[in-house]
Amino acid sequence: MIRWLANRTMLAPTRHEIETTGKRRELIPFRSGHVEAWRQASPSCNDSTAPQVVVIKFVGMGGRAERATLHPLDRWSGIVGEVWALNPPGYGRSSGDATVESLPRFADVC
């Protein structure tokens, strides 16, 4: 009962499509499914330059990776990098159900 209550009161998963601009979707294999990641390059990053820095963001409960910003890369001028924002299980196109128990396993994907 406590697990069911925690899942219902703490998590707010959504799976609807969200418009993105300047981001690229990646599906990362995870257990028997996948985790959806959204990549966004800093302004100084281009196709011929490999990123020097990769920032991985775990969005908060009720958030979505599609809405993640370039922060903190937007504070470091001249840094060639990417932000990878990840949707946990049950959010966006990530496989699985949104449960409190799935979150620690989800962190292992990185």
Side-chain angles (χ1 to χ4, degrees):
M1 180 67 172
I2 293 198
R3 286 183 185 169
W4 180 86
L5 187 59
N7 292 336
R8 297 303 177 268
T9 60
M10 293 172 51
L11 306 178
T14 61
R15 291 194 177 271
H16 65 279
E17 287 290 322
I18 295 176
E19 232 8 85
T20 60
T21 303
K23 298 178 183 180
R24 199 168 73 210
R25 174 186 283 140
E26 301 283 342
L27 296 177
I28 302 166
F30 174 67
R31 301 194 179 255
S32 60
H34 57 268
V35 167
E36 179 182 44
W38 286 90
R39 295 172 59 176
Q40 185 173 11
S42 66
S44 54
C45 195
N46 59 49
D47 291 335
S48 64
T49 308
Q52 298 168 327
V53 175
V54 174
V55 175
I56 299 173
K57 287 187 170 184
F58 294 95
V59 297
M61 299 302 94
R64 289 279 295 272
E66 294 92 323
R67 294 187 179 118
T69 65
L70 263 177
H71 188 73
L73 289 183
D74 59 349
R75 302 290 182 212
W76 298 327
S77 63
I79 294 290
V80 178
E82 290 184 342
V83 171
W84 285 56
L86 307 175
N87 275 323
Y91 291 74
R93 291 202 181 162
S94 289
S95 301
D97 297 321
T99 64
V100 173
E101 296 86 15
S102 68
L103 295 177
R105 292 188 301 264
F106 163 65
D108 287 340
V109 78
C110 296

